């Protein structure tokens, strides 16, 4: 049993130089920080607030479809890129999407150890912690401890697989369908799929049934 | 709290006539992460500099025309390239010393 599937080819994180525009945006930010007009934290805070506004819904839709439709799930695990495109989502950067499935004995978590490769088209903007050096280093070295800090306590016998994203290959975690949701429609299931559950730092949970008054 | 939804709603309104934020099915569209950051940078910088969004909107309208941005086929790449131009020009006109 391995605690870590380290799956990247060195040097593949940046097959292209970063775009001129990206460099220009970084330079502008640095200048405005220097002038005291913005702080990196203030921008982070704004980005963090609207990052939940984009993207994760696409991934949640993919997951809910896979839970509701076994044939779709099979296609999704066999060829993530094609199955995600079926729902109209996809990158224009040509990256391959690989979907890794959580099962009772296996928990998956994604990271980009070298930079911040992220399954954009389905998850939107990466959260700030995903790009932080501590997460990138520690989730590989001590995934169980890192997940515990996210409030996720896994059984000791659960195997943890860490997937290192690259510019070519982006991973998406297919969380386990929460128990007690057999009667739920696909639309209802979407609401259970959080961004973090598709990164692997959380699991999908159904709310406690409300007692009938 | 000034919710980001409120601030984004203000931005949407200010840009409605010049160059609306690229959206798909109501959700913001970015081709690359720096574009999302560029949006956040403008929100923070304009607020701090006390520049009205209407002024930025004027600059953005001119910039998207220069970049040949087509509203009918909103490409986030072209849009946010124009966005950087507009942000620089707006701040310059507001008296910020820009290179």
């Amino acid at each position: 049993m391995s605690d870590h599937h380290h799956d990247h080819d060195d040097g593949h994180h940046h097959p292209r130089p970063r775009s001129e525009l990206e460099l220009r945006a970084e330079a502008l930010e640095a200048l405005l920080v220097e002038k005291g007009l913005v702080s990196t934290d203030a921008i982070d805070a704004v980005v963090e607030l609207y990052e939940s506004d984009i993207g994760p819904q696409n991934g949640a839709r993919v997951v809910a479809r896979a839970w509701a439709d076994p044939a779709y799930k099979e296609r999704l695990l066999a060829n993530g890129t094609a199955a995600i495109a079926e729902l109209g989502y996809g990158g224009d950067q040509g990256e391959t999407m690989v979907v890794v499935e959580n099962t009772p004995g296996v928990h998956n978590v994604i990271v980009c150890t070298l930079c911040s490769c992220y399954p954009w088209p389905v998850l939107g903007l990466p959260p700030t912690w995903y790009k932080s050096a501590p997460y990138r280093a520690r989730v590989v070295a001590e995934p169980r401890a890192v997940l515990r800090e996210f409030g996720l306590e896994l059984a000791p016998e659960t195997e943890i697989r860490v997937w290192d994203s690259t510019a070519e290959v982006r991973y998406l975690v297919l969380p386990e369908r929460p128990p007690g949701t057999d009667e739920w429609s696909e639309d209802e299931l979407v609401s259970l799929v959080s961004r973090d559950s598709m990164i692997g730092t959380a699991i999908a949970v159904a709310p406690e049934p409300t007692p009938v008054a | 709290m000034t919710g980001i939804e409120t601030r984004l709603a203000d931005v949407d309104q200010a840009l409605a006539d010049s160059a609306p934020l690229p959206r798909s099915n109501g959700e913001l569209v970015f081709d690359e992460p720096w574009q999302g950051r560029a949006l956040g940078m403008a929100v923070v910088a304009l607020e701090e500099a006390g520049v009205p969004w209407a002024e930025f909107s004027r600059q953005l309208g001119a910039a998207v025309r220069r970049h040949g941005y087509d509203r009918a086929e909103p490409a986030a790449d072209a849009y946010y390239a124009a966005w950087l131009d507009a942000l620089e020009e707006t701040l310059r006109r507001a008296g910020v010393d820009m290179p």
Side-chain angles (χ1 to χ4, degrees):
Chain A
M1 165 173 128
S2 150
D3 242 19
H4 176 218
H5 289 223
H6 203 77
D7 187 29
H8 75 79
D9 299 319
D10 282 342
H12 279 215
H13 281 251
H14 292 294
R16 307 170 297 276
R18 277 182 306 168
S19 74
E20 229 168 273
L21 285 168
E22 182 177 358
L23 294 173
R24 188 177 151 210
E26 283 176 12
L28 180 58
E29 181 177 333
L31 178 77
L32 297 180
V33 167
E34 189 189 306
K35 291 187 178 302
L37 212 50
V38 304
S39 71
T40 302
D41 286 350
I43 297 175
D44 281 348
V46 172
V47 170
E48 217 163 300
L49 284 165
Y50 66 60
E51 69 196 3
S52 59
D53 180 49
I54 65 158
Q57 295 91 327
N58 295 352
R61 174 63 61 181
V62 169
V63 168
R65 174 67 56 85
W67 285 346
D69 178 349
Y72 180 76
K73 177 175 155 185
E74 203 170 306
R75 294 200 296 282
L76 183 67
L77 295 175
N79 183 337
T81 312
I84 288 167
E86 278 180 43
L87 301 191
Y89 314 130
D92 43 11
Q93 301 167 19
E95 64 270 9
T96 300
M97 292 290 315
V98 174
V99 177
V100 288
E101 183 189 15
N102 285 350
T103 59
V106 176
H107 182 86
N108 296 284
V109 58
I110 62 172
V111 65
C112 175
T113 53
L114 292 191
C115 44
S116 54
C117 298
Y118 189 68
W120 254 104
V122 278
L123 293 191
L125 292 171
T128 307
W129 54 258
Y130 184 85
K131 298 176 282 186
S132 74
Y135 175 75
R136 285 157 43 201
R138 290 188 54 231
V139 77
V140 172
E142 37 174 354
R144 207 169 287 274
V146 170
L147 294 181
R148 193 173 299 126
E149 287 162 26
F150 275 94
L152 181 57
E153 185 76 55
L154 294 172
E157 64 273 18
T158 301
E159 178 188 352
I160 302 175
R161 296 182 182 164
V162 181
W163 300 88
D164 194 357
S165 311
T166 68
E168 284 88 8
V169 182
R170 309 290 166 99
Y171 298 97
L172 179 75
V173 175
L174 175 58
E176 284 184 272
R177 181 172 178 163
T181 58
D182 291 354
E183 306 298 317
W184 290 44
S185 72
E186 187 180 318
D187 282 341
E188 291 169 326
L189 289 170
V190 168
S191 68
L192 301 181
V193 188
S194 67
R195 178 195 65 199
D196 289 2
S197 74
M198 294 181 279
I199 296 177
T201 51
I203 57 172
V205 281
E208 297 289 320
T210 25
V212 183
Chain B
M1 157 186 163
T2 340
I4 182 65
E5 292 81 11
T6 320
R7 280 148 91 192
L8 274 187
D10 291 347
V11 176
D12 272 329
Q13 199 181 3
L15 303 183
D17 293 329
S18 61
L21 295 168
R23 286 177 183 268
S24 162
N25 208 2
E27 294 174 17
L28 291 167
V29 173
F30 305 108
D31 289 339
E32 293 179 40
W34 70 263
Q35 297 165 359
R37 214 166 162 78
L39 171 54
M41 180 157 60
V43 169
V44 175
L46 296 180
E47 217 166 66
E48 182 65 28
V51 180
W53 277 93
E55 172 57 21
F56 177 79
S57 176
R58 248 195 314 279
Q59 297 302 334
L60 184 62
V64 292
R65 277 193 297 279
R66 277 202 309 279
H67 283 263
Y69 172 76
D70 182 358
R71 275 180 76 153
E73 273 182 54
D77 231 28
Y79 183 87
Y80 283 102
W83 184 276
L84 293 179
D85 280 3
L87 182 57
E88 285 178 1
E89 184 57 25
T90 305
L91 292 173
R92 186 176 294 120
R93 284 171 183 247
V96 179
D97 182 25
M98 303 291 292

mmCIF file of all heavy atoms in Angstrom, chain A residues 79-115:
data_model
loop_
_atom_site.group_PDB
_atom_site.id
_atom_site.type_symbol
_atom_site.label_atom_id
_atom_site.label_comp_id
_atom_site.label_asym_id
_atom_site.label_seq_id
_atom_site.Cartn_x
_atom_site.Cartn_y
_atom_site.Cartn_z
ATOM 1 N N ASN A 79 -12.576 8.168 -19.209
ATOM 2 C CA ASN A 79 -12.040 9.299 -19.966
ATOM 3 C C ASN A 79 -12.668 10.585 -19.436
ATOM 4 O O ASN A 79 -13.712 11.018 -19.915
ATOM 5 C CB ASN A 79 -12.338 9.121 -21.466
ATOM 6 C CG ASN A 79 -11.724 10.239 -22.304
ATOM 7 O OD1 ASN A 79 -11.447 11.339 -21.792
ATOM 8 N ND2 ASN A 79 -11.520 9.980 -23.582
ATOM 9 N N GLY A 80 -12.008 11.146 -18.447
ATOM 10 C CA GLY A 80 -12.552 12.328 -17.779
ATOM 11 C C GLY A 80 -12.779 13.485 -18.726
ATOM 12 O O GLY A 80 -13.821 14.144 -18.685
ATOM 13 N N THR A 81 -11.815 13.745 -19.583
ATOM 14 C CA THR A 81 -11.912 14.889 -20.485
ATOM 15 C C THR A 81 -13.183 14.806 -21.337
ATOM 16 O O THR A 81 -13.952 15.769 -21.435
ATOM 17 C CB THR A 81 -10.686 14.957 -21.412
ATOM 18 O OG1 THR A 81 -9.515 14.797 -20.620
ATOM 19 C CG2 THR A 81 -10.623 16.276 -22.159
ATOM 20 N N ALA A 82 -13.405 13.617 -21.925
ATOM 21 C CA ALA A 82 -14.553 13.453 -22.825
ATOM 22 C C ALA A 82 -15.869 13.514 -22.055
ATOM 23 O O ALA A 82 -16.830 14.145 -22.499
ATOM 24 C CB ALA A 82 -14.444 12.129 -23.588
ATOM 25 N N ALA A 83 -15.906 12.868 -20.889
ATOM 26 C CA ALA A 83 -17.160 12.830 -20.134
ATOM 27 C C ALA A 83 -17.509 14.216 -19.596
ATOM 28 O O ALA A 83 -18.681 14.595 -19.541
ATOM 29 C CB ALA A 83 -17.052 11.819 -18.987
ATOM 30 N N ILE A 84 -16.503 14.977 -19.200
ATOM 31 C CA ILE A 84 -16.763 16.338 -18.715
ATOM 32 C C ILE A 84 -17.223 17.222 -19.877
ATOM 33 O O ILE A 84 -18.121 18.051 -19.732
ATOM 34 C CB ILE A 84 -15.510 16.901 -18.010
ATOM 35 C CG1 ILE A 84 -15.322 16.185 -16.665
ATOM 36 C CG2 ILE A 84 -15.619 18.407 -17.808
ATOM 37 C CD1 ILE A 84 -13.987 16.409 -16.001
ATOM 38 N N ALA A 85 -16.645 17.004 -21.050
ATOM 39 C CA ALA A 85 -17.047 17.764 -22.232
ATOM 40 C C ALA A 85 -18.497 17.477 -22.609
ATOM 41 O O ALA A 85 -19.189 18.344 -23.149
ATOM 42 C CB ALA A 85 -16.118 17.451 -23.404
ATOM 43 N N GLU A 86 -18.967 16.264 -22.313
ATOM 44 C CA GLU A 86 -20.379 15.930 -22.579
ATOM 45 C C GLU A 86 -21.312 16.929 -21.911
ATOM 46 O O GLU A 86 -22.396 17.210 -22.398
ATOM 47 C CB GLU A 86 -20.740 14.555 -21.981
ATOM 48 C CG GLU A 86 -20.356 13.358 -22.801
ATOM 49 C CD GLU A 86 -20.781 12.065 -22.085
ATOM 50 O OE1 GLU A 86 -21.912 12.035 -21.543
ATOM 51 O OE2 GLU A 86 -19.982 11.126 -22.049
ATOM 52 N N LEU A 87 -20.895 17.429 -20.746
ATOM 53 C CA LEU A 87 -21.748 18.376 -20.015
ATOM 54 C C LEU A 87 -21.449 19.813 -20.433
ATOM 55 O O LEU A 87 -21.972 20.763 -19.848
ATOM 56 C CB LEU A 87 -21.547 18.216 -18.506
ATOM 57 C CG LEU A 87 -21.839 16.833 -17.916
ATOM 58 C CD1 LEU A 87 -21.863 16.886 -16.398
ATOM 59 C CD2 LEU A 87 -23.154 16.288 -18.427
ATOM 60 N N GLY A 88 -20.569 19.959 -21.402
ATOM 61 C CA GLY A 88 -20.303 21.302 -21.922
ATOM 62 C C GLY A 88 -19.172 22.028 -21.226
ATOM 63 O O GLY A 88 -18.995 23.230 -21.420
ATOM 64 N N TYR A 89 -18.407 21.323 -20.405
ATOM 65 C CA TYR A 89 -17.305 21.976 -19.721
ATOM 66 C C TYR A 89 -15.990 21.484 -20.299
ATOM 67 O O TYR A 89 -15.840 20.333 -20.648
ATOM 68 C CB TYR A 89 -17.311 21.677 -18.221
ATOM 69 C CG TYR A 89 -18.657 21.804 -17.564
ATOM 70 C CD1 TYR A 89 -19.165 20.798 -16.757
ATOM 71 C CD2 TYR A 89 -19.439 22.931 -17.776
ATOM 72 C CE1 TYR A 89 -20.410 20.908 -16.160
ATOM 73 C CE2 TYR A 89 -20.680 23.057 -17.188
ATOM 74 C CZ TYR A 89 -21.167 22.034 -16.380
ATOM 75 O OH TYR A 89 -22.402 22.147 -15.789
ATOM 76 N N GLY A 90 -15.029 22.377 -20.320
ATOM 77 C CA GLY A 90 -13.722 21.943 -20.784
ATOM 78 C C GLY A 90 -12.807 23.125 -20.876
ATOM 79 O O GLY A 90 -13.253 24.267 -20.947
ATOM 80 N N GLY A 91 -11.524 22.840 -20.841
ATOM 81 C CA GLY A 91 -10.554 23.919 -20.957
ATOM 82 C C GLY A 91 -10.245 24.149 -22.410
ATOM 83 O O GLY A 91 -10.463 23.272 -23.237
ATOM 84 N N ASP A 92 -9.752 25.329 -22.699
ATOM 85 C CA ASP A 92 -9.295 25.531 -24.067
ATOM 86 C C ASP A 92 -7.779 25.438 -24.086
ATOM 87 O O ASP A 92 -7.120 25.865 -25.008
ATOM 88 C CB ASP A 92 -9.777 26.870 -24.628
ATOM 89 C CG ASP A 92 -9.632 27.973 -23.615
ATOM 90 O OD1 ASP A 92 -8.988 27.738 -22.585
ATOM 91 O OD2 ASP A 92 -10.144 29.068 -23.866
ATOM 92 N N GLN A 93 -7.217 24.925 -23.008
ATOM 93 C CA GLN A 93 -5.764 24.814 -22.941
ATOM 94 C C GLN A 93 -5.318 23.389 -23.237
ATOM 95 O O GLN A 93 -4.129 23.065 -23.139
ATOM 96 C CB GLN A 93 -5.259 25.243 -21.563
ATOM 97 C CG GLN A 93 -5.648 26.674 -21.247
ATOM 98 C CD GLN A 93 -5.429 27.015 -19.784
ATOM 99 O OE1 GLN A 93 -4.689 26.333 -19.087
ATOM 100 N NE2 GLN A 93 -6.059 28.065 -19.315
ATOM 101 N N GLY A 94 -6.272 22.527 -23.538
ATOM 102 C CA GLY A 94 -5.917 21.187 -23.964
ATOM 103 C C GLY A 94 -5.458 20.238 -22.872
ATOM 104 O O GLY A 94 -4.931 19.179 -23.154
ATOM 105 N N GLU A 95 -5.696 20.623 -21.605
ATOM 106 C CA GLU A 95 -5.236 19.705 -20.572
ATOM 107 C C GLU A 95 -6.167 18.505 -20.466
ATOM 108 O O GLU A 95 -7.342 18.583 -20.759
ATOM 109 C CB GLU A 95 -5.117 20.421 -19.223
ATOM 110 C CG GLU A 95 -6.411 20.937 -18.653
ATOM 111 C CD GLU A 95 -6.719 22.365 -19.106
ATOM 112 O OE1 GLU A 95 -6.000 22.872 -19.996
ATOM 113 O OE2 GLU A 95 -7.679 22.951 -18.585
ATOM 114 N N THR A 96 -5.584 17.397 -20.014
ATOM 115 C CA THR A 96 -6.345 16.177 -19.843
ATOM 116 C C THR A 96 -6.924 16.133 -18.437
ATOM 117 O O THR A 96 -6.233 16.418 -17.469
ATOM 118 C CB THR A 96 -5.410 14.966 -20.042
ATOM 119 O OG1 THR A 96 -4.865 15.038 -21.354
ATOM 120 C CG2 THR A 96 -6.159 13.664 -19.872
ATOM 121 N N MET A 97 -8.197 15.797 -18.353
ATOM 122 C CA MET A 97 -8.825 15.682 -17.033
ATOM 123 C C MET A 97 -8.891 14.218 -16.625
ATOM 124 O O MET A 97 -9.382 13.388 -17.375
ATOM 125 C CB MET A 97 -10.248 16.248 -17.085
ATOM 126 C CG MET A 97 -10.344 17.746 -17.286
ATOM 127 S SD MET A 97 -9.802 18.694 -15.840
ATOM 128 C CE MET A 97 -10.634 17.789 -14.524
ATOM 129 N N VAL A 98 -8.386 13.944 -15.444
ATOM 130 C CA VAL A 98 -8.453 12.584 -14.914
ATOM 131 C C VAL A 98 -9.260 12.622 -13.624
ATOM 132 O O VAL A 98 -8.966 13.418 -12.728
ATOM 133 C CB VAL A 98 -7.041 12.028 -14.644
ATOM 134 C CG1 VAL A 98 -7.123 10.671 -13.944
ATOM 135 C CG2 VAL A 98 -6.253 11.908 -15.952
ATOM 136 N N VAL A 99 -10.290 11.791 -13.557
ATOM 137 C CA VAL A 99 -11.140 11.764 -12.375
ATOM 138 C C VAL A 99 -10.771 10.549 -11.530
ATOM 139 O O VAL A 99 -10.701 9.434 -12.034
ATOM 140 C CB VAL A 99 -12.629 11.722 -12.778
ATOM 141 C CG1 VAL A 99 -13.520 11.630 -11.549
ATOM 142 C CG2 VAL A 99 -12.976 12.960 -13.606
ATOM 143 N N VAL A 100 -10.477 10.796 -10.260
ATOM 144 C CA VAL A 100 -10.080 9.714 -9.352
ATOM 145 C C VAL A 100 -11.184 9.519 -8.324
ATOM 146 O O VAL A 100 -11.685 10.470 -7.732
ATOM 147 C CB VAL A 100 -8.713 10.015 -8.685
ATOM 148 C CG1 VAL A 100 -7.599 9.879 -9.710
ATOM 149 C CG2 VAL A 100 -8.669 11.397 -8.055
ATOM 150 N N GLU A 101 -11.559 8.259 -8.140
ATOM 151 C CA GLU A 101 -12.753 7.955 -7.353
ATOM 152 C C GLU A 101 -12.427 7.572 -5.915
ATOM 153 O O GLU A 101 -11.594 6.693 -5.668
ATOM 154 C CB GLU A 101 -13.498 6.789 -8.027
ATOM 155 C CG GLU A 101 -14.795 6.438 -7.313
ATOM 156 C CD GLU A 101 -15.429 5.146 -7.841
ATOM 157 O OE1 GLU A 101 -14.739 4.378 -8.548
ATOM 158 O OE2 GLU A 101 -16.607 4.918 -7.527
ATOM 159 N N ASN A 102 -13.086 8.224 -4.972
ATOM 160 C CA ASN A 102 -12.997 7.785 -3.581
ATOM 161 C C ASN A 102 -13.865 6.550 -3.395
ATOM 162 O O ASN A 102 -14.983 6.485 -3.915
ATOM 163 C CB ASN A 102 -13.493 8.875 -2.629
ATOM 164 C CG ASN A 102 -12.488 10.005 -2.492
ATOM 165 O OD1 ASN A 102 -11.352 9.902 -2.950
ATOM 166 N ND2 ASN A 102 -12.917 11.084 -1.852
ATOM 167 N N THR A 103 -13.350 5.576 -2.653
ATOM 168 C CA THR A 103 -14.103 4.363 -2.339
ATOM 169 C C THR A 103 -13.948 4.142 -0.837
ATOM 170 O O THR A 103 -13.162 4.840 -0.187
ATOM 171 C CB THR A 103 -13.535 3.164 -3.123
ATOM 172 O OG1 THR A 103 -12.163 3.000 -2.763
ATOM 173 C CG2 THR A 103 -13.643 3.366 -4.626
ATOM 174 N N PRO A 104 -14.671 3.187 -0.277
ATOM 175 C CA PRO A 104 -14.566 3.000 1.173
ATOM 176 C C PRO A 104 -13.125 2.826 1.670
ATOM 177 O O PRO A 104 -12.812 3.206 2.785
ATOM 178 C CB PRO A 104 -15.413 1.747 1.412
ATOM 179 C CG PRO A 104 -16.461 1.828 0.350
ATOM 180 C CD PRO A 104 -15.757 2.396 -0.865
ATOM 181 N N GLY A 105 -12.221 2.286 0.859
ATOM 182 C CA GLY A 105 -10.864 2.082 1.350
ATOM 183 C C GLY A 105 -9.839 3.074 0.839
ATOM 184 O O GLY A 105 -8.678 3.044 1.256
ATOM 185 N N VAL A 106 -10.245 3.939 -0.091
ATOM 186 C CA VAL A 106 -9.278 4.825 -0.740
ATOM 187 C C VAL A 106 -9.788 6.260 -0.749
ATOM 188 O O VAL A 106 -10.918 6.529 -1.177
ATOM 189 C CB VAL A 106 -9.018 4.386 -2.204
ATOM 190 C CG1 VAL A 106 -8.081 5.372 -2.891
ATOM 191 C CG2 VAL A 106 -8.435 2.977 -2.247
ATOM 192 N N HIS A 107 -8.940 7.167 -0.285
ATOM 193 C CA HIS A 107 -9.279 8.589 -0.340
ATOM 194 C C HIS A 107 -8.244 9.303 -1.209
ATOM 195 O O HIS A 107 -7.046 9.129 -1.019
ATOM 196 C CB HIS A 107 -9.303 9.200 1.063
ATOM 197 C CG HIS A 107 -9.692 10.643 1.048
ATOM 198 N ND1 HIS A 107 -11.008 11.057 1.065
ATOM 199 C CD2 HIS A 107 -8.944 11.774 0.957
ATOM 200 C CE1 HIS A 107 -11.047 12.389 1.002
ATOM 201 N NE2 HIS A 107 -9.811 12.849 0.928
ATOM 202 N N ASN A 108 -8.724 10.109 -2.138
ATOM 203 C CA ASN A 108 -7.831 10.833 -3.046
ATOM 204 C C ASN A 108 -7.779 12.316 -2.701
ATOM 205 O O ASN A 108 -8.772 12.901 -2.270
ATOM 206 C CB ASN A 108 -8.332 10.693 -4.492
ATOM 207 C CG ASN A 108 -8.289 9.267 -4.981
ATOM 208 O OD1 ASN A 108 -7.229 8.749 -5.310
ATOM 209 N ND2 ASN A 108 -9.447 8.611 -4.994
ATOM 210 N N VAL A 109 -6.627 12.899 -2.938
ATOM 211 C CA VAL A 109 -6.495 14.338 -2.728
ATOM 212 C C VAL A 109 -5.563 14.884 -3.811
ATOM 213 O O VAL A 109 -4.638 14.193 -4.252
ATOM 214 C CB VAL A 109 -5.986 14.648 -1.296
ATOM 215 C CG1 VAL A 109 -4.655 13.992 -1.009
ATOM 216 C CG2 VAL A 109 -5.923 16.153 -1.044
ATOM 217 N N ILE A 110 -5.855 16.106 -4.273
ATOM 218 C CA ILE A 110 -5.038 16.665 -5.352
ATOM 219 C C ILE A 110 -4.210 17.850 -4.862
ATOM 220 O O ILE A 110 -4.559 18.527 -3.902
ATOM 221 C CB ILE A 110 -5.882 17.080 -6.581
ATOM 222 C CG1 ILE A 110 -6.880 18.172 -6.221
ATOM 223 C CG2 ILE A 110 -6.584 15.880 -7.173
ATOM 224 C CD1 ILE A 110 -7.617 18.755 -7.428
ATOM 225 N N VAL A 111 -3.120 18.064 -5.561
ATOM 226 C CA VAL A 111 -2.186 19.127 -5.212
ATOM 227 C C VAL A 111 -1.444 19.474 -6.499
ATOM 228 O O VAL A 111 -1.516 18.744 -7.491
ATOM 229 C CB VAL A 111 -1.194 18.642 -4.120
ATOM 230 C CG1 VAL A 111 -0.310 17.515 -4.646
ATOM 231 C CG2 VAL A 111 -0.317 19.790 -3.608
ATOM 232 N N CYS A 112 -0.771 20.610 -6.485
ATOM 233 C CA CYS A 112 0.224 20.860 -7.523
ATOM 234 C C CYS A 112 1.476 21.237 -6.753
ATOM 235 O O CYS A 112 1.537 22.316 -6.164
ATOM 236 C CB CYS A 112 -0.199 21.981 -8.457
ATOM 237 S SG CYS A 112 1.089 22.394 -9.640
ATOM 238 N N THR A 113 2.434 20.329 -6.731
ATOM 239 C CA THR A 113 3.584 20.556 -5.850
ATOM 240 C C THR A 113 4.474 21.688 -6.337
ATOM 241 O O THR A 113 5.135 22.337 -5.545
ATOM 242 C CB THR A 113 4.440 19.286 -5.699
ATOM 243 O OG1 THR A 113 4.768 18.809 -7.000
ATOM 244 C CG2 THR A 113 3.704 18.219 -4.924
ATOM 245 N N LEU A 114 4.515 21.923 -7.644
ATOM 246 C CA LEU A 114 5.459 22.907 -8.163
ATOM 247 C C LEU A 114 4.867 24.290 -8.372
ATOM 248 O O LEU A 114 5.566 25.289 -8.294
ATOM 249 C CB LEU A 114 6.066 22.422 -9.478
ATOM 250 C CG LEU A 114 6.997 21.224 -9.358
ATOM 251 C CD1 LEU A 114 7.746 21.004 -10.661
ATOM 252 C CD2 LEU A 114 7.975 21.386 -8.198
ATOM 253 N N CYS A 115 3.570 24.348 -8.677
ATOM 254 C CA CYS A 115 2.997 25.686 -8.862
ATOM 255 C C CYS A 115 1.540 25.645 -8.431
ATOM 256 O O CYS A 115 1.258 25.364 -7.281
ATOM 257 C CB CYS A 115 3.184 26.189 -10.287
ATOM 258 S SG CYS A 115 2.830 24.976 -11.575
#
